[in-house]
Amino acid sequence: QVQLVESGGGLVQPGGSLRLSCEASDEILSVYAMAWYRQAAGQLRELVASMYINGLTNYADSVKGRFTISRNNAKKMTVFLQMSNLQPEDTAVYYCKIIGGRGRRDYWGQGTQVTVSS
């Protein structure tokens, strides 16, 4: 069973930056897309950024120009989310997702907390 392990979250001041990583524990065949979601306390989980395997990316309006999704080309894929000019409203638990494998299933990370506060 492939697992996604996230890292890079933490406490940062407004205007600061963080880089989240999401590493697969094993190879996922036929990857279709990757994405980052976030869920603030008491809120629904929302899509922040996505990338199809062909490189096409999409971003939530609230993070356009500040966040960048990317990946490496390793056999065990790692997906990144570079976040800059962070604001208190970016505070949330961030989850990564990779879509692929037999039946094009969803693989989820366990979540990493990002807190933006002075």
Side-chain angles (χ1 to χ4, degrees):
Q1 180 78 347
V2 176
Q3 295 183 335
L4 303 185
V5 180
E6 300 177 19
S7 61
L11 174 64
V12 64
Q13 292 186 342
S17 299
L18 284 175
R19 188 193 196 204
L20 305 183
S21 299
C22 170
E23 182 177 3
S25 61
D26 203 348
E27 183 179 12
I28 299 174
L29 299 176
S30 303
V31 172
Y32 172 70
M34 300 130 275
W36 285 93
Y37 289 75
R38 68 186 180 187
Q39 187 167 18
Q43 303 295 317
L44 296 175
R45 190 173 296 188
E46 64 170 346
L47 177 63
V48 174
S50 62
M51 172 185 277
Y52 292 92
I53 199 63
N54 64 3
L56 179 67
T57 58
N58 288 289
Y59 296 92
D61 287 343
S62 59
V63 307
K64 280 181 181 177
R66 301 189 298 122
F67 290 11
T68 303
I69 186 172
S70 62
R71 65 176 180 93
N72 63 7
N73 292 315
K75 191 173 182 180
K76 298 179 184 179
M77 180 180 289
T78 299
V79 184
F80 304 97
L81 185 68
Q82 178 67 47
M83 306 183 294
S84 61
N85 192 22
L86 285 161
Q87 300 301 316
E89 53 266 33
D90 296 317
T91 295
V93 178
Y94 284 71
Y95 299 89
C96 67
K97 181 174 78 172
I98 298 176
I99 304 171
R102 182 174 294 180
R104 195 174 282 182
R105 57 161 291 185
D106 294 347
Y107 297 86
W108 285 93
Q110 81 285 358
T112 186
Q113 176 71 45
V114 171
T115 302
V116 185
S117 175
S118 55

